[in-house]
Amino acid sequence: MNKPEFIQNIVDTMESNGYHTTQKQSAGFLEALQLVIRDAISKEEDITIPHCLKISVAKISSYIGRHPVTGEPMFVPERKYVRVKALTALKESLS
């Protein structure tokens, strides 16, 4: 599902639940959600979207690795990545 399809899906779901929203409002909501998540991740804060996802920053410690071509030992610095975990309610929707 691409972005326009996702926005239309939000509009359709909202209207089927008795709420009126436009595509422009739904697109604004999606942009705001993206900014909130981006700000939380930049501050290394966890964010939970209830009954859906938990987004957090995880770290991989530095270590001595092996150069893939020469085989010589090399230092690999610490790095961070975004971890997204599906919560139980979302996992249960698969079965």
Side-chain angles (χ1 to χ4, degrees), residues 19-47:
Y19 301 101
H20 179 69
T21 185
T22 64
Q23 283 190 341
K24 188 174 183 177
Q25 290 170 330
S26 296
F29 167 76
L30 190 59
E31 293 295 325
L33 181 62
Q34 182 181 13
L35 291 173
V36 168
I37 292 171
R38 187 181 299 156
D39 289 343
I41 292 300
S42 68
K43 296 175 188 173
E44 296 187 25
E45 297 175 349
D46 293 352
I47 186 165

Side-chain angles (χ1 to χ4, degrees), residues 57-63 76-81 83:
V57 175
K59 296 179 184 178
I60 297 177
S61 300
S62 60
Y63 61 94
V76 179
E78 178 181 88
R79 58 188 169 157
K80 300 175 193 173
Y81 64 96
R83 176 183 290 164

Side-chain angles (χ1 to χ4, degrees), residues 3-18:
K3 186 176 178 179
E5 292 171 343
F6 186 67
I7 291 170
Q8 185 59 48
N9 197 350
I10 291 172
V11 171
D12 295 341
T13 303
M14 294 287 286
E15 288 181 357
S16 68
N17 287 319

Side-chain angles (χ1 to χ4, degrees), residues 56-75:
S56 59
V57 175
K59 296 179 184 178
I60 297 177
S61 300
S62 60
Y63 61 94
I64 302 295
R66 184 184 63 82
H67 190 282
V69 176
T70 64
E72 296 178 8
M74 61 181 279
F75 177 75

